[in-house]
Amino acid sequence: ERGSADVMKRYDFLIVGAGPAGLSAAIEAAKRGMQVAVFDENAKPGGQLFKQIHKFFGSKEHKAKIRGFVIGQQLLEEAQKLGVSVILNATVIGLYAEKELVVRIGEEIHHYKGDAVLVATGAAENMVTFDGWTLPGVIGAGAAQTMMNLHGIRPGKKILMLGSGNVGLVVSYQLLQAGCEVVALVDAAPRVGGYGVHAAKIARCGVPFYLSHTIQKAEGTDHVTGVTIAEVDSHFQFIPGTEKHFEVDTICLAVGLSPMSQLLKMAGCKMEDNPKRGGQVPICDAYGETSVPGIFAAGDVSGIEEASSAMIEGRISGIAIAASLGFMEESEKQEQIAANEAALETLRQGMFAPCNRGKLVEKTEEGIDTAMHLLKSGYLTEEEVEKFPGVTRNKKIHPVIECVQNIPCNPCQDACPKHCIKIGSHITALPAVDQEVECIGCGLCVSSCSGQAIFLVQEECDEPGYGTVTLPYEFLPLPKKGDRGFGYDRGGKKVCEAEVVSVKTAKAFDHTNLLTIKVPTDMVMRARFYKAQ
């Protein structure tokens, strides 16, 4: 599959980057009979997908409620079946307007030429500087994910996370799952940047959020031994006297991503500096084609978004390229692209739509006031919870859905066999519980929620004065029936004694175990996490 150092190897379509965008484009092109080569500098393909052990958001066509690494396996298997050449340990060091690639494989330089090129190189982690930022123990959140989820190594014992976007929130939770102690989640912004459901599952584990705070200095001589944070004002200047000190061995930075767009610049593509897209990005048309004919861009390299969006962008580029080179009919192209654009549009709606980046959305689509305590502290107050359509009271067993932001996600609607959960045709609508339909307590909604925001509540059980709460549980070791421990509220405060009455695992739950605890009746709407004695 490789060119020799002096012979130029030809393909119909060359792709730089074997992540979600690159592999999705390769699959679409290869389906139409194109000869496709994908280059990746890593030893393993899949991009960031194999680090993603959480369930994705969206709907079925976005691979919702499937864990990232499984999506990676699916894409790779499909690409291999279609005969796509995936060339690894291959660093693309040159891209030219004539659609030529110069690739370093091992110690040799190889030349490739294609009729079209897609750059899907993704993004790199940003850094921030502070006193001590070069000490061993200051790492990027992506590096922490690589250590944990690819190599099975704990990045540290006591960790402070800087950054409350989805990366900071997701990685903080995965650090807890790996058995690390996250001492604090810190962000200079006044509000949590990522999804509220991600913040809530960390807050109930007892991790405190420090918004409007940032790192002043890291302590230690040859490695990190501590960190001092302080509050900042509206101009991001430190407020004297607000310093807080933590003993930590690791500082994790999740302060955004920047598109790795250097190859596009090298090829002479017109670029722009667009802060809403994360930095230097190519100017592209609706199909991802740059100002240089036949050179396309898809995924984070053309603007920072979720992996679900990258996959669809890759598919659109792959389809457009196949049609432009005569491998598919124009009518099929239009139909396929329209379906993919509609799927992409649904992911770009709601409170976290690109047009809302950096803005405070004050009301939900349903006209309910935004849950401000969630944005400032990472968890909902009891008063906030009660306002939302997924939260109902009922003596019998019923779902309580603490999903309070318009995010593009609807697996709970499909999961309920009795259809007692309704989102409707608009994917960003808040889930509502139909009280006319009787819940059978199967728990499929609890396990299907990518944000772990659904609980089954029974206000009265067989023992007078007690009720049960079934909660999603993704920690090891799993508690056992009869174990005694404590119930914790949304803010991670111990509120009552709790007894484990059942632990259910099933293939359909995909590692989100259903843990049912018995708590006093007045605690069924408060207890949202369990820890053993």
Side-chain angles (χ1 to χ4, degrees), residues 197-231:
V197 287
H198 281 323
K201 64 188 192 188
I202 300 159
R204 61 179 176 252
C205 292
V207 178
F209 282 66
Y210 291 91
L211 281 301
S212 294
H213 281 73
T214 193
I215 295 174
Q216 212 172 37
K217 62 173 193 271
E219 286 119 34
T221 47
D222 55 355
H223 64 278
V224 171
T225 56
V227 59
T228 299
I229 66 168
E231 200 174 337

PDB file of all heavy atoms in Angstrom, residues 197-231:
ATOM      1  N   VAL A 197     -25.735  18.384  32.690  1.00  0.00           N
ATOM      2  CA  VAL A 197     -25.835  16.993  33.164  1.00  0.00           C
ATOM      3  C   VAL A 197     -24.446  16.423  33.474  1.00  0.00           C
ATOM      4  O   VAL A 197     -24.294  15.619  34.398  1.00  0.00           O
ATOM      5  CB  VAL A 197     -26.587  16.087  32.154  1.00  0.00           C
ATOM      6  CG1 VAL A 197     -28.075  16.401  32.163  1.00  0.00           C
ATOM      7  CG2 VAL A 197     -26.018  16.196  30.748  1.00  0.00           C
ATOM      8  N   HIS A 198     -23.428  16.835  32.691  1.00  0.00           N
ATOM      9  CA  HIS A 198     -22.060  16.379  32.975  1.00  0.00           C
ATOM     10  C   HIS A 198     -21.570  16.974  34.295  1.00  0.00           C
ATOM     11  O   HIS A 198     -20.900  16.300  35.079  1.00  0.00           O
ATOM     12  CB  HIS A 198     -21.100  16.814  31.862  1.00  0.00           C
ATOM     13  CG  HIS A 198     -21.151  15.977  30.628  1.00  0.00           C
ATOM     14  ND1 HIS A 198     -21.329  14.611  30.647  1.00  0.00           N
ATOM     15  CD2 HIS A 198     -21.036  16.314  29.305  1.00  0.00           C
ATOM     16  CE1 HIS A 198     -21.316  14.149  29.404  1.00  0.00           C
ATOM     17  NE2 HIS A 198     -21.148  15.157  28.571  1.00  0.00           N
ATOM     18  N   ALA A 199     -21.889  18.258  34.530  1.00  0.00           N
ATOM     19  CA  ALA A 199     -21.471  18.918  35.778  1.00  0.00           C
ATOM     20  C   ALA A 199     -22.154  18.240  36.966  1.00  0.00           C
ATOM     21  O   ALA A 199     -21.527  17.966  37.994  1.00  0.00           O
ATOM     22  CB  ALA A 199     -21.826  20.402  35.735  1.00  0.00           C
ATOM     23  N   ALA A 200     -23.458  17.944  36.822  1.00  0.00           N
ATOM     24  CA  ALA A 200     -24.250  17.393  37.934  1.00  0.00           C
ATOM     25  C   ALA A 200     -23.718  16.044  38.409  1.00  0.00           C
ATOM     26  O   ALA A 200     -23.705  15.758  39.601  1.00  0.00           O
ATOM     27  CB  ALA A 200     -25.712  17.262  37.501  1.00  0.00           C
ATOM     28  N   LYS A 201     -23.238  15.223  37.464  1.00  0.00           N
ATOM     29  CA  LYS A 201     -22.786  13.892  37.899  1.00  0.00           C
ATOM     30  C   LYS A 201     -21.448  13.959  38.645  1.00  0.00           C
ATOM     31  O   LYS A 201     -21.112  13.056  39.400  1.00  0.00           O
ATOM     32  CB  LYS A 201     -22.768  12.891  36.733  1.00  0.00           C
ATOM     33  CG  LYS A 201     -21.833  13.163  35.625  1.00  0.00           C
ATOM     34  CD  LYS A 201     -22.058  12.200  34.444  1.00  0.00           C
ATOM     35  CE  LYS A 201     -20.905  12.301  33.469  1.00  0.00           C
ATOM     36  NZ  LYS A 201     -21.105  11.568  32.230  1.00  0.00           N
ATOM     37  N   ILE A 202     -20.702  15.079  38.460  1.00  0.00           N
ATOM     38  CA  ILE A 202     -19.463  15.272  39.227  1.00  0.00           C
ATOM     39  C   ILE A 202     -19.783  15.888  40.585  1.00  0.00           C
ATOM     40  O   ILE A 202     -19.245  15.484  41.614  1.00  0.00           O
ATOM     41  CB  ILE A 202     -18.498  16.216  38.459  1.00  0.00           C
ATOM     42  CG1 ILE A 202     -18.152  15.617  37.105  1.00  0.00           C
ATOM     43  CG2 ILE A 202     -17.223  16.488  39.240  1.00  0.00           C
ATOM     44  CD1 ILE A 202     -17.671  16.638  36.118  1.00  0.00           C
ATOM     45  N   ALA A 203     -20.698  16.876  40.568  1.00  0.00           N
ATOM     46  CA  ALA A 203     -21.060  17.570  41.818  1.00  0.00           C
ATOM     47  C   ALA A 203     -21.620  16.588  42.845  1.00  0.00           C
ATOM     48  O   ALA A 203     -21.303  16.659  44.032  1.00  0.00           O
ATOM     49  CB  ALA A 203     -22.072  18.675  41.533  1.00  0.00           C
ATOM     50  N   ARG A 204     -22.443  15.635  42.396  1.00  0.00           N
ATOM     51  CA  ARG A 204     -23.035  14.709  43.378  1.00  0.00           C
ATOM     52  C   ARG A 204     -22.022  13.715  43.941  1.00  0.00           C
ATOM     53  O   ARG A 204     -22.273  13.066  44.950  1.00  0.00           O
ATOM     54  CB  ARG A 204     -24.275  14.013  42.810  1.00  0.00           C
ATOM     55  CG  ARG A 204     -24.086  13.151  41.598  1.00  0.00           C
ATOM     56  CD  ARG A 204     -25.434  12.526  41.208  1.00  0.00           C
ATOM     57  NE  ARG A 204     -25.353  11.747  39.993  1.00  0.00           N
ATOM     58  CZ  ARG A 204     -25.865  12.107  38.815  1.00  0.00           C
ATOM     59  NH1 ARG A 204     -26.500  13.259  38.694  1.00  0.00           N
ATOM     60  NH2 ARG A 204     -25.763  11.322  37.772  1.00  0.00           N
ATOM     61  N   CYS A 205     -20.868  13.617  43.271  1.00  0.00           N
ATOM     62  CA  CYS A 205     -19.770  12.802  43.828  1.00  0.00           C
ATOM     63  C   CYS A 205     -18.989  13.583  44.882  1.00  0.00           C
ATOM     64  O   CYS A 205     -18.051  13.049  45.481  1.00  0.00           O
ATOM     65  CB  CYS A 205     -18.819  12.360  42.720  1.00  0.00           C
ATOM     66  SG  CYS A 205     -19.535  11.195  41.574  1.00  0.00           S
ATOM     67  N   GLY A 206     -19.330  14.877  45.055  1.00  0.00           N
ATOM     68  CA  GLY A 206     -18.682  15.673  46.101  1.00  0.00           C
ATOM     69  C   GLY A 206     -17.556  16.566  45.627  1.00  0.00           C
ATOM     70  O   GLY A 206     -16.814  17.123  46.445  1.00  0.00           O
ATOM     71  N   VAL A 207     -17.403  16.736  44.311  1.00  0.00           N
ATOM     72  CA  VAL A 207     -16.335  17.621  43.798  1.00  0.00           C
ATOM     73  C   VAL A 207     -16.840  19.061  43.819  1.00  0.00           C
ATOM     74  O   VAL A 207     -17.877  19.360  43.224  1.00  0.00           O
ATOM     75  CB  VAL A 207     -15.928  17.228  42.354  1.00  0.00           C
ATOM     76  CG1 VAL A 207     -14.862  18.181  41.823  1.00  0.00           C
ATOM     77  CG2 VAL A 207     -15.440  15.777  42.312  1.00  0.00           C
ATOM     78  N   PRO A 208     -16.127  19.984  44.498  1.00  0.00           N
ATOM     79  CA  PRO A 208     -16.582  21.381  44.523  1.00  0.00           C
ATOM     80  C   PRO A 208     -16.198  22.130  43.242  1.00  0.00           C
ATOM     81  O   PRO A 208     -15.152  21.862  42.648  1.00  0.00           O
ATOM     82  CB  PRO A 208     -15.845  21.972  45.735  1.00  0.00           C
ATOM     83  CG  PRO A 208     -14.610  21.138  45.873  1.00  0.00           C
ATOM     84  CD  PRO A 208     -14.928  19.769  45.334  1.00  0.00           C
ATOM     85  N   PHE A 209     -17.068  23.036  42.818  1.00  0.00           N
ATOM     86  CA  PHE A 209     -16.820  23.887  41.639  1.00  0.00           C
ATOM     87  C   PHE A 209     -16.398  25.273  42.124  1.00  0.00           C
ATOM     88  O   PHE A 209     -17.052  25.844  42.991  1.00  0.00           O
ATOM     89  CB  PHE A 209     -18.095  24.032  40.800  1.00  0.00           C
ATOM     90  CG  PHE A 209     -18.395  22.835  39.930  1.00  0.00           C
ATOM     91  CD1 PHE A 209     -18.719  21.602  40.496  1.00  0.00           C
ATOM     92  CD2 PHE A 209     -18.364  22.932  38.554  1.00  0.00           C
ATOM     93  CE1 PHE A 209     -19.002  20.497  39.706  1.00  0.00           C
ATOM     94  CE2 PHE A 209     -18.635  21.839  37.748  1.00  0.00           C
ATOM     95  CZ  PHE A 209     -18.964  20.615  38.325  1.00  0.00           C
ATOM     96  N   TYR A 210     -15.337  25.804  41.542  1.00  0.00           N
ATOM     97  CA  TYR A 210     -14.911  27.179  41.830  1.00  0.00           C
ATOM     98  C   TYR A 210     -14.964  27.966  40.521  1.00  0.00           C
ATOM     99  O   TYR A 210     -14.012  27.956  39.749  1.00  0.00           O
ATOM    100  CB  TYR A 210     -13.495  27.199  42.425  1.00  0.00           C
ATOM    101  CG  TYR A 210     -13.417  26.613  43.808  1.00  0.00           C
ATOM    102  CD1 TYR A 210     -13.139  25.263  44.012  1.00  0.00           C
ATOM    103  CD2 TYR A 210     -13.639  27.411  44.931  1.00  0.00           C
ATOM    104  CE1 TYR A 210     -13.080  24.710  45.286  1.00  0.00           C
ATOM    105  CE2 TYR A 210     -13.576  26.874  46.212  1.00  0.00           C
ATOM    106  CZ  TYR A 210     -13.304  25.534  46.381  1.00  0.00           C
ATOM    107  OH  TYR A 210     -13.251  25.001  47.646  1.00  0.00           O
ATOM    108  N   LEU A 211     -16.109  28.609  40.275  1.00  0.00           N
ATOM    109  CA  LEU A 211     -16.246  29.437  39.081  1.00  0.00           C
ATOM    110  C   LEU A 211     -15.686  30.823  39.386  1.00  0.00           C
ATOM    111  O   LEU A 211     -15.566  31.203  40.558  1.00  0.00           O
ATOM    112  CB  LEU A 211     -17.713  29.535  38.662  1.00  0.00           C
ATOM    113  CG  LEU A 211     -18.316  28.330  37.896  1.00  0.00           C
ATOM    114  CD1 LEU A 211     -17.528  28.078  36.612  1.00  0.00           C
ATOM    115  CD2 LEU A 211     -18.382  27.061  38.701  1.00  0.00           C
ATOM    116  N   SER A 212     -15.360  31.598  38.342  1.00  0.00           N
ATOM    117  CA  SER A 212     -14.687  32.900  38.504  1.00  0.00           C
ATOM    118  C   SER A 212     -13.398  32.749  39.322  1.00  0.00           C
ATOM    119  O   SER A 212     -13.027  33.634  40.084  1.00  0.00           O
ATOM    120  CB  SER A 212     -15.601  33.936  39.167  1.00  0.00           C
ATOM    121  OG  SER A 212     -16.684  34.235  38.326  1.00  0.00           O
ATOM    122  N   HIS A 213     -12.730  31.626  39.175  1.00  0.00           N
ATOM    123  CA  HIS A 213     -11.434  31.365  39.828  1.00  0.00           C
ATOM    124  C   HIS A 213     -10.463  30.840  38.778  1.00  0.00           C
ATOM    125  O   HIS A 213     -10.876  30.204  37.808  1.00  0.00           O
ATOM    126  CB  HIS A 213     -11.565  30.285  40.918  1.00  0.00           C
ATOM    127  CG  HIS A 213     -12.126  30.774  42.215  1.00  0.00           C
ATOM    128  ND1 HIS A 213     -13.459  31.089  42.377  1.00  0.00           N
ATOM    129  CD2 HIS A 213     -11.537  30.986  43.428  1.00  0.00           C
ATOM    130  CE1 HIS A 213     -13.665  31.478  43.630  1.00  0.00           C
ATOM    131  NE2 HIS A 213     -12.511  31.419  44.297  1.00  0.00           N
ATOM    132  N   THR A 214      -9.197  31.074  38.981  1.00  0.00           N
ATOM    133  CA  THR A 214      -8.211  30.407  38.131  1.00  0.00           C
ATOM    134  C   THR A 214      -6.927  30.158  38.924  1.00  0.00           C
ATOM    135  O   THR A 214      -6.816  30.550  40.088  1.00  0.00           O
ATOM    136  CB  THR A 214      -7.960  31.182  36.820  1.00  0.00           C
ATOM    137  OG1 THR A 214      -7.240  30.330  35.927  1.00  0.00           O
ATOM    138  CG2 THR A 214      -7.197  32.479  37.026  1.00  0.00           C
ATOM    139  N   ILE A 215      -5.986  29.481  38.279  1.00  0.00           N
ATOM    140  CA  ILE A 215      -4.755  29.085  38.977  1.00  0.00           C
ATOM    141  C   ILE A 215      -3.809  30.276  39.070  1.00  0.00           C
ATOM    142  O   ILE A 215      -3.546  30.964  38.090  1.00  0.00           O
ATOM    143  CB  ILE A 215      -4.072  27.914  38.233  1.00  0.00           C
ATOM    144  CG1 ILE A 215      -4.981  26.675  38.280  1.00  0.00           C
ATOM    145  CG2 ILE A 215      -2.704  27.603  38.841  1.00  0.00           C
ATOM    146  CD1 ILE A 215      -4.475  25.505  37.456  1.00  0.00           C
ATOM    147  N   GLN A 216      -3.302  30.500  40.300  1.00  0.00           N
ATOM    148  CA  GLN A 216      -2.302  31.557  40.517  1.00  0.00           C
ATOM    149  C   GLN A 216      -0.900  30.970  40.372  1.00  0.00           C
ATOM    150  O   GLN A 216      -0.064  31.499  39.683  1.00  0.00           O
ATOM    151  CB  GLN A 216      -2.501  32.132  41.918  1.00  0.00           C
ATOM    152  CG  GLN A 216      -2.153  33.590  42.016  1.00  0.00           C
ATOM    153  CD  GLN A 216      -2.550  34.145  43.375  1.00  0.00           C
ATOM    154  OE1 GLN A 216      -2.449  33.479  44.401  1.00  0.00           O
ATOM    155  NE2 GLN A 216      -3.018  35.388  43.390  1.00  0.00           N
ATOM    156  N   LYS A 217      -0.700  29.813  41.040  1.00  0.00           N
ATOM    157  CA  LYS A 217       0.618  29.175  40.900  1.00  0.00           C
ATOM    158  C   LYS A 217       0.559  27.694  41.273  1.00  0.00           C
ATOM    159  O   LYS A 217      -0.296  27.267  42.056  1.00  0.00           O
ATOM    160  CB  LYS A 217       1.673  29.898  41.736  1.00  0.00           C
ATOM    161  CG  LYS A 217       1.442  29.909  43.245  1.00  0.00           C
ATOM    162  CD  LYS A 217       2.671  30.523  43.931  1.00  0.00           C
ATOM    163  CE  LYS A 217       2.683  30.307  45.422  1.00  0.00           C
ATOM    164  NZ  LYS A 217       2.050  31.264  46.255  1.00  0.00           N
ATOM    165  N   ALA A 218       1.475  26.949  40.654  1.00  0.00           N
ATOM    166  CA  ALA A 218       1.668  25.540  41.015  1.00  0.00           C
ATOM    167  C   ALA A 218       2.903  25.475  41.900  1.00  0.00           C
ATOM    168  O   ALA A 218       3.873  26.200  41.662  1.00  0.00           O
ATOM    169  CB  ALA A 218       1.873  24.710  39.761  1.00  0.00           C
ATOM    170  N   GLU A 219       2.840  24.644  42.940  1.00  0.00           N
ATOM    171  CA  GLU A 219       3.976  24.536  43.860  1.00  0.00           C
ATOM    172  C   GLU A 219       4.718  23.222  43.656  1.00  0.00           C
ATOM    173  O   GLU A 219       4.137  22.246  43.200  1.00  0.00           O
ATOM    174  CB  GLU A 219       3.481  24.619  45.315  1.00  0.00           C
ATOM    175  CG  GLU A 219       3.084  26.030  45.719  1.00  0.00           C
ATOM    176  CD  GLU A 219       1.628  26.148  46.123  1.00  0.00           C
ATOM    177  OE1 GLU A 219       1.110  25.188  46.693  1.00  0.00           O
ATOM    178  OE2 GLU A 219       1.023  27.190  45.843  1.00  0.00           O
ATOM    179  N   GLY A 220       5.981  23.242  44.012  1.00  0.00           N
ATOM    180  CA  GLY A 220       6.801  22.047  43.886  1.00  0.00           C
ATOM    181  C   GLY A 220       8.134  22.405  43.265  1.00  0.00           C
ATOM    182  O   GLY A 220       8.256  23.449  42.612  1.00  0.00           O
ATOM    183  N   THR A 221       9.153  21.555  43.472  1.00  0.00           N
ATOM    184  CA  THR A 221      10.464  21.844  42.875  1.00  0.00           C
ATOM    185  C   THR A 221      10.696  20.979  41.640  1.00  0.00           C
ATOM    186  O   THR A 221      10.942  21.482  40.555  1.00  0.00           O
ATOM    187  CB  THR A 221      11.593  21.636  43.900  1.00  0.00           C
ATOM    188  OG1 THR A 221      11.377  20.378  44.554  1.00  0.00           O
ATOM    189  CG2 THR A 221      11.627  22.752  44.911  1.00  0.00           C
ATOM    190  N   ASP A 222      10.560  19.638  41.794  1.00  0.00           N
ATOM    191  CA  ASP A 222      10.762  18.791  40.609  1.00  0.00           C
ATOM    192  C   ASP A 222       9.461  18.150  40.133  1.00  0.00           C
ATOM    193  O   ASP A 222       9.431  17.468  39.127  1.00  0.00           O
ATOM    194  CB  ASP A 222      11.834  17.719  40.871  1.00  0.00           C
ATOM    195  CG  ASP A 222      11.502  16.877  42.101  1.00  0.00           C
ATOM    196  OD1 ASP A 222      10.511  17.197  42.787  1.00  0.00           O
ATOM    197  OD2 ASP A 222      12.223  15.896  42.351  1.00  0.00           O
ATOM    198  N   HIS A 223       8.365  18.344  40.880  1.00  0.00           N
ATOM    199  CA  HIS A 223       7.038  17.902  40.426  1.00  0.00           C
ATOM    200  C   HIS A 223       5.986  18.672  41.230  1.00  0.00           C
ATOM    201  O   HIS A 223       6.305  19.286  42.251  1.00  0.00           O
ATOM    202  CB  HIS A 223       6.854  16.381  40.591  1.00  0.00           C
ATOM    203  CG  HIS A 223       6.902  15.926  42.022  1.00  0.00           C
ATOM    204  ND1 HIS A 223       8.090  15.713  42.690  1.00  0.00           N
ATOM    205  CD2 HIS A 223       5.913  15.679  42.915  1.00  0.00           C
ATOM    206  CE1 HIS A 223       7.821  15.339  43.940  1.00  0.00           C
ATOM    207  NE2 HIS A 223       6.508  15.319  44.102  1.00  0.00           N
ATOM    208  N   VAL A 224       4.755  18.634  40.767  1.00  0.00           N
ATOM    209  CA  VAL A 224       3.675  19.377  41.430  1.00  0.00           C
ATOM    210  C   VAL A 224       3.373  18.775  42.802  1.00  0.00           C
ATOM    211  O   VAL A 224       3.199  17.559  42.936  1.00  0.00           O
ATOM    212  CB  VAL A 224       2.386  19.342  40.559  1.00  0.00           C
ATOM    213  CG1 VAL A 224       1.199  19.915  41.321  1.00  0.00           C
ATOM    214  CG2 VAL A 224       2.590  20.116  39.262  1.00  0.00           C
ATOM    215  N   THR A 225       3.352  19.644  43.829  1.00  0.00           N
ATOM    216  CA  THR A 225       2.966  19.183  45.179  1.00  0.00           C
ATOM    217  C   THR A 225       1.744  19.946  45.697  1.00  0.00           C
ATOM    218  O   THR A 225       1.132  19.550  46.681  1.00  0.00           O
ATOM    219  CB  THR A 225       4.126  19.374  46.180  1.00  0.00           C
ATOM    220  OG1 THR A 225       4.503  20.760  46.156  1.00  0.00           O
ATOM    221  CG2 THR A 225       5.327  18.501  45.818  1.00  0.00           C
ATOM    222  N   GLY A 226       1.399  21.048  45.032  1.00  0.00           N
ATOM    223  CA  GLY A 226       0.242  21.829  45.477  1.00  0.00           C
ATOM    224  C   GLY A 226      -0.106  22.882  44.451  1.00  0.00           C
ATOM    225  O   GLY A 226       0.628  23.107  43.481  1.00  0.00           O
ATOM    226  N   VAL A 227      -1.257  23.518  44.660  1.00  0.00           N
ATOM    227  CA  VAL A 227      -1.693  24.554  43.736  1.00  0.00           C
ATOM    228  C   VAL A 227      -2.483  25.612  44.503  1.00  0.00           C
ATOM    229  O   VAL A 227      -3.214  25.281  45.442  1.00  0.00           O
ATOM    230  CB  VAL A 227      -2.528  23.951  42.573  1.00  0.00           C
ATOM    231  CG1 VAL A 227      -3.771  23.219  43.084  1.00  0.00           C
ATOM    232  CG2 VAL A 227      -2.922  25.002  41.556  1.00  0.00           C
ATOM    233  N   THR A 228      -2.309  26.867  44.116  1.00  0.00           N
ATOM    234  CA  THR A 228      -3.087  27.963  44.708  1.00  0.00           C
ATOM    235  C   THR A 228      -3.963  28.558  43.612  1.00  0.00           C
ATOM    236  O   THR A 228      -3.477  28.876  42.523  1.00  0.00           O
ATOM    237  CB  THR A 228      -2.159  29.056  45.284  1.00  0.00           C
ATOM    238  OG1 THR A 228      -1.356  28.458  46.311  1.00  0.00           O
ATOM    239  CG2 THR A 228      -2.957  30.210  45.874  1.00  0.00           C
ATOM    240  N   ILE A 229      -5.261  28.662  43.924  1.00  0.00           N
ATOM    241  CA  ILE A 229      -6.178  29.335  43.001  1.00  0.00           C
ATOM    242  C   ILE A 229      -6.669  30.610  43.677  1.00  0.00           C
ATOM    243  O   ILE A 229      -6.534  30.770  44.900  1.00  0.00           O
ATOM    244  CB  ILE A 229      -7.381  28.434  42.624  1.00  0.00           C
ATOM    245  CG1 ILE A 229      -8.288  28.148  43.843  1.00  0.00           C
ATOM    246  CG2 ILE A 229      -6.913  27.130  41.997  1.00  0.00           C
ATOM    247  CD1 ILE A 229      -9.639  27.519  43.491  1.00  0.00           C
ATOM    248  N   ALA A 230      -7.214  31.527  42.901  1.00  0.00           N
ATOM    249  CA  ALA A 230      -7.787  32.740  43.475  1.00  0.00           C
ATOM    250  C   ALA A 230      -8.930  33.204  42.583  1.00  0.00           C
ATOM    251  O   ALA A 230      -8.995  32.866  41.391  1.00  0.00           O
ATOM    252  CB  ALA A 230      -6.731  33.840  43.598  1.00  0.00           C
ATOM    253  N   GLU A 231      -9.817  33.988  43.193  1.00  0.00           N
ATOM    254  CA  GLU A 231     -10.963  34.510  42.447  1.00  0.00           C
ATOM    255  C   GLU A 231     -10.507  35.618  41.500  1.00  0.00           C
ATOM    256  O   GLU A 231      -9.541  36.326  41.780  1.00  0.00           O
ATOM    257  CB  GLU A 231     -11.987  35.056  43.442  1.00  0.00           C
ATOM    258  CG  GLU A 231     -13.379  35.185  42.861  1.00  0.00           C
ATOM    259  CD  GLU A 231     -14.412  35.590  43.906  1.00  0.00           C
ATOM    260  OE1 GLU A 231     -14.201  35.361  45.121  1.00  0.00           O
ATOM    261  OE2 GLU A 231     -15.431  36.159  43.483  1.00  0.00           O
TER     262      GLU A 231
END
